[in-house]
Amino acid sequence: MSKIKEKFAELKAKNQKALISYIMVGFPNEKATIATVRGLVKGGADIIELGFPFSDPIADGPVIQNASTVSLKKGTKISKFFSIVKKIRKETDIPLVLMTYTNILYHKGYPEFISEAKKAGIDGFILPDMSIEESKEYLKAAKSNTDTIFLISPNTSNTRIRKIAKVSTGFLYLVAVYGTTGVKTGIKNYTIKAIKNVKKQTKGKTPVGVGFGISTPYDVKKYINAGADAVIVGSAYLKLIEKTPQNKLESKITSFTKSLKKQTIL
Amino acid sequence: MKYPKNGRFGEFGGRYIPETLVPAIEELEENYLKFKDDKTFKKELDYYLKVYAGRPTPLYYAKNLSEKLGGAKIYLKREDLLHGGAHKINNTLGQVLLAKKMKKKRIIAETGAGQHGVATAMACAALGMKAEVYMGYKDTIRQKLNVFRMDMLGCKVYPVYSGSKTLKDAINEAIRDWITNVETTYYLLGSAVGPHPYPVMVRDFQSVIGKEIKSQMKKINRTPDSLIACVGGGSNAIGTFYPLIDSNAEMIGVEAAGKGLKSKLHSATLSAGTKGVLHGMMTYLLQDKEGQITETHSISAGLDYPGVGPEHSYYKDTKRIKYHSATDAEVIDAFLMLTRTEGIIPALESAHAIAEAIKVARKGKKSESIVVTLSGRGDKDVEEVQNYLKRNVKD
């Protein structure tokens, strides 16, 4: 069983839902990334999503775009990223998901990239521009090795939801809103409906995580109440990292994470 | 390749897109397939191409230029004479009509040099639609005349400040807008790039260029020995080449070599790029060892793009089309030569094709004929050329 699956099983036994926290590695530097991860673990995050920057992040809003640009300027290379992952792995066993864009994997070669990532301690992948139609080589390379987490949108048809659920392992990533990451639009009725529908279509076989625009304990509670198995918070973390002095980063991240995690305990 | 199966030209193309766009792309393909051979749709499009855009465009024998070079005969396909000043209107009229059939209320587009933006604004004005256009900040400065034209045409222009502030970033921003407003918005892509079906749809709308060349050459009892067109995303080139792809003509796409292929300051994707995934397609890209897209340079904003249409990548690998490049300096020389010999001021983009034609004609025989697609006129570029000449004073 993958680490991510184990985590969901463990949470189920405890009657909890998952808090998934996203950060951009190397934003604003390696030290901050390590401090943030410590804060996330202490604060009770269940899964950490590590962003690897891409020059053209079409699914991301201004906050993650900016973090990508900063991280790239600071010299975040693939080898550097994996060395940071290895450092994180020495400290914690928490499931780690890598989020980046298809070209990063394609360019290195899916098998090469995935096996190196796995070796470093990555448990799964999220590629927001990878559609199921183009995923054959990617899935082949990931095999049973790593979880392949695909996205679903509120406008995805039921037939397609079922197709996506077939190749998605670990969890399904439901995009909460029409839009890019980090854009606050408030909680929409169509999102609540989509959560319920995806759960119904997949018969609860794969956990459903909801992300995009979730930034407060209130948001977390709303989506958990609607039936989400996990919530994903990203841009809000990056904003916090940006405005917090490095020596206070770990404690600030811990307390923010605690406030979010509290809402996932039923 | 008539209609690419699974959206693939060989291994190139495809549909690498965020899930939110999947229903919109499927709806687009479904409607495109429904209307592309629809008699009423075609009649309507032909009407606008003829009486609004000014088709057919002439095929002009550039006698002075040909005689000066002393080799093969150069014919210019005068897309620069189209309404708006470039081939872009062929595609925008087609897509705006399609968007209307699809009952879309809002049209968005990206633009590099501003020619696609202007053509979008014009087609929208004529057909009673509203357009909003994304344009890299750098391009809004070097092509400010076109920004003003769009403004006058009632089209909103959003400068894009991210990344290299050029065409690539304008496309990123247009895609983000589309993701956000997917339910109401039609994305009018201006080149033969992006996720399937855009590359094939834009090619089909631009194929009117090659079809006319074919019949115009036939009328003067000639067959083209060479066809030459500039390539950024590659829409005028694929429109020129595709209808003649089964002929024996040599075909040359000309990319922007900027300050030289070794300088890294260029946009010659097919000449110097590697395979990758960007803007929904698998194609040749300019990228670094890690798969990060690199910044490009060209004196012409319309060619300043690190990707290229997937069908071009296919023809590069199958060797049906040759891809050469022209440097900024060669382009300025060609620009001036055509202007002085024929009284035709070409767009800097099109001047890349002229630069190549000059080389090919010099080596060619007098009995041979070269057809060059003059994709646009150069009024928008005179200031840029003036600045270039000031910086690089020659004897």
Side-chain angles (χ1 to χ4, degrees):
Chain A
M1 198 190 277
S2 82
K3 233 182 226 165
I4 297 169
K5 268 188 202 153
E6 273 173 24
K7 177 58 81 176
F8 276 103
E10 175 198 318
L11 290 170
K12 201 172 181 184
K14 290 199 283 190
N15 206 19
Q16 291 183 17
K17 302 294 181 184
L19 171 67
I20 304 176
S21 307
Y22 168 96
I23 55 165
M24 172 63 69
V25 166
F27 173 73
N29 52 51
E30 180 181 342
K31 243 176 132 179
T33 299
I34 298 288
T36 305
V37 168
R38 285 180 186 145
L40 293 175
V41 173
K42 273 191 193 161
D46 298 298
I47 295 170
I48 298 175
E49 247 182 58
L50 297 171
F52 179 80
F54 178 52
S55 53
D56 295 84
I58 51 167
D60 286 305
V63 176
I64 296 182
Q65 279 178 51
N66 175 55
S68 307
T69 309
V70 171
S71 176
L72 282 172
K73 272 197 188 137
K74 290 281 173 70
T76 305
K77 304 264 187 217
I78 296 169
S79 56
K80 175 94 178 163
F81 177 87
F82 288 146
S83 85
I84 295 174
V85 173
K86 281 177 192 160
K87 278 182 196 163
I88 294 171
R89 265 289 163 254
K90 279 188 186 147
E91 297 188 14
T92 170
D93 215 25
I94 193 167
L96 298 173
V97 176
L98 169 52
M99 183 158 179
T100 189
Y101 286 80
T102 300
N103 195 48
I104 299 296
L105 274 72
Y106 176 85
H107 189 72
K108 199 176 167 71
Y110 295 115
E112 292 82 1
F113 192 102
I114 291 173
S115 82
E116 209 173 307
K118 180 74 186 168
K119 243 181 258 163
I122 291 292
D123 302 296
F125 288 92
I126 301 173
L127 305 173
D129 61 341
M130 172 59 83
S131 57
I132 49 170
E133 286 79 4
E134 312 298 349
S135 67
K136 208 173 145 190
E137 288 169 59
Y138 163 59
L139 289 174
K140 200 175 143 198
K143 274 185 275 177
S144 54
N145 248 342
T146 31
D147 283 321
T148 49
I149 296 142
F150 282 81
L151 289 88
I152 285 176
S153 174
N155 59 358
T156 308
S157 71
N158 287 342
T159 334
R160 199 170 163 87
I161 290 173
R162 292 195 292 271
K163 270 190 204 163
I164 295 172
K166 260 189 198 156
V167 292
S168 214
T169 59
F171 64 94
L172 281 160
Y173 192 134
L174 174 66
V175 174
V177 289
Y178 297 123
T180 50
T181 53
V183 179
K184 273 227 74 121
T185 52
I187 292 160
K188 307 272 190 196
N189 268 334
Y190 69 71
T191 314
I192 305 293
K193 270 191 203 157
I195 295 171
K196 294 190 168 137
N197 183 50
V198 174
K199 297 271 295 181
K200 195 175 133 196
Q201 296 303 324
T202 58
K203 299 191 180 90
K205 275 185 203 152
T206 315
V208 178
V210 183
F212 281 41
I214 302 176
S215 63
T216 65
Y218 173 81
D219 297 340
V220 173
K221 194 180 177 65
K222 267 284 206 187
Y223 290 123
I224 295 293
N225 284 346
D229 300 301
V231 284
I232 302 142
V233 179
S235 296
Y237 275 111
L238 299 185
K239 279 187 197 161
L240 184 61
I241 292 167
E242 197 167 19
K243 68 176 189 199
T244 308
Q246 204 118 323
N247 59 348
K248 293 200 176 123
L249 194 54
E250 189 180 324
S251 64
K252 284 270 181 195
I253 293 287
T254 305
S255 57
F256 179 55
T257 305
K258 270 184 183 162
S259 73
L260 300 172
K261 178 60 200 169
K262 219 172 123 187
Q263 305 301 329
T264 68
I265 301 167
L266 306 178
Chain B
M1 194 143 312
K2 274 200 151 144
Y3 193 82
K5 218 181 158 193
N6 304 324
R8 292 269 180 176
F9 303 92
E11 65 176 307
F12 301 102
R15 207 176 252 178
Y16 296 85
I17 48 172
E19 196 55 37
T20 305
L21 294 182
V22 169
I25 280 278
E26 285 178 346
E27 184 195 6
L28 174 64
E29 183 178 23
E30 200 179 295
N31 279 279
Y32 177 60
L33 288 174
K34 182 171 146 196
F35 287 109
K36 79 185 187 85
D37 301 313
D38 179 87
K39 270 189 194 154
T40 332
F41 181 83
K42 279 168 81 175
K43 215 174 136 187
E44 210 175 344
L45 178 56
D46 283 349
Y47 171 80
Y48 278 101
L49 285 174
K50 196 172 159 192
V51 301
Y52 183 73
R55 299 217 73 92
T57 59
L59 186 72
Y60 171 72
Y61 170 45
K63 190 164 175 273
N64 301 338
L65 179 64
S66 305
E67 282 173 2
K68 184 184 164 86
L69 297 169
K73 290 189 169 63
I74 296 176
Y75 293 85
L76 302 174
K77 179 60 177 163
R78 300 291 309 273
E79 296 297 292
D80 61 315
L81 292 176
L82 282 172
H83 181 51
H87 71 290
K88 295 291 186 187
I89 196 89
N90 300 330
N91 173 45
T92 58
L93 282 173
Q95 287 202 54
V96 174
L97 275 175
L98 183 64
K100 278 190 82 163
K101 301 275 179 218
M102 290 168 71
K103 304 202 164 45
K104 296 286 175 184
K105 297 272 177 273
R106 179 173 175 261
I107 299 234
I108 55 166
E110 82 297 335
T111 196
Q115 290 302 110
H116 175 57
V118 167
T120 299
M122 285 173 167
C124 282
L127 295 163
M129 299 281 278
K130 276 266 173 228
E132 294 167 42
V133 172
Y134 289 92
M135 187 171 186
Y137 174 70
K138 190 176 154 192
D139 294 338
T140 62
I141 304 295
R142 57 178 166 173
Q143 303 278 306
K144 60 176 177 239
L145 182 68
N146 273 343
V147 177
F148 187 56
R149 289 167 86 196
M150 285 184 268
D151 206 38
M152 284 195 303
L153 287 158
C155 161
K156 240 189 163 138
V157 181
Y158 303 110
V160 176
Y161 296 95
S162 58
S164 54
K165 304 176 180 64
T166 57
L167 178 56
K168 160 182 89 87
D169 311 285
I171 296 179
N172 288 344
E173 226 29 60
I175 293 175
R176 289 184 188 117
D177 180 314
W178 198 24
I179 293 172
T180 309
N181 303 294
V182 66
E183 292 188 303
T184 57
T185 299
Y186 182 95
Y187 179 24
L188 204 175
L189 240 172
S191 194
V193 299
H196 176 66
Y198 282 106
V200 65
M201 178 170 71
V202 175
R203 175 198 77 190
D204 289 352
F205 285 136
Q206 291 295 357
S207 286
V208 63
I209 304 172
K211 283 180 198 158
E212 285 178 11
I213 291 174
K214 215 170 158 178
S215 67
Q216 286 166 327
M217 285 300 275
K218 209 172 165 188
K219 259 188 204 154
I220 55 169
N221 290 318
R222 285 185 167 267
T223 47
D225 296 289
S226 303
L227 290 161
I228 301 174
C230 65
V231 177
S235 72
N236 91 81
I238 204 71
T240 300
F241 299 150
Y242 180 71
L244 290 133
I245 204 81
D246 296 326
S247 74
N248 293 321
E250 171 188 47
M251 296 179 178
I252 308 170
V254 190
E255 299 189 298
K259 297 189 171 153
L261 292 186
K262 282 183 189 141
S263 71
K264 287 193 177 172
L265 294 168
H266 63 79
S267 313
T269 311
L270 291 161
S271 310
T274 50
K275 292 170 194 174
V277 176
L278 179 72
H279 293 151
M281 60 181 166
M282 215 278 275
T283 191
Y284 278 98
L285 300 174
L286 292 172
Q287 55 187 332
D288 68 13
K289 282 180 194 150
E290 300 250 310
Q292 306 291 352
I293 308 307
T294 48
E295 296 210 353
T296 51
H297 164 82
S298 168
I299 191 167
S300 66
L303 303 185
D304 203 344
Y305 180 61
V308 67
E311 194 166 2
H312 285 294
S313 292
Y314 172 72
Y315 289 131
K316 174 200 155 80
D317 277 14
T318 58
K319 298 191 166 67
R320 174 60 188 98
I321 300 175
K322 292 179 196 161
Y323 294 92
H324 295 170
S325 61
T327 63
D328 290 352
E330 290 172 317
V331 167
I332 293 289
D333 287 345
F335 176 96
L336 294 173
M337 193 188 281
L338 184 68
T339 303
R340 284 169 190 167
T341 54
E342 299 290 350
I344 295 170
I345 305 175
L348 281 172
E349 289 77 12
S350 322
H352 285 73
I354 301 294
E356 176 70 22
I358 290 170
K359 292 182 207 167
V360 176
R362 277 200 176 117
K363 283 185 280 180
K365 289 185 215 125
K366 283 203 165 108
S367 58
E368 287 171 358
S369 45
I370 302 169
V371 177
V372 186
T373 295
L374 200 66
S375 56
R377 67 174 186 229
D379 306 46
K380 68 183 178 61
D381 293 317
V382 290
E383 201 183 335
E384 188 74 20
V385 173
Q386 198 176 28
N387 290 338
Y388 182 92
L389 292 176
K390 266 187 215 154
R391 286 195 306 269
N392 302 274
V393 188
K394 292 184 183 176
D395 42 274

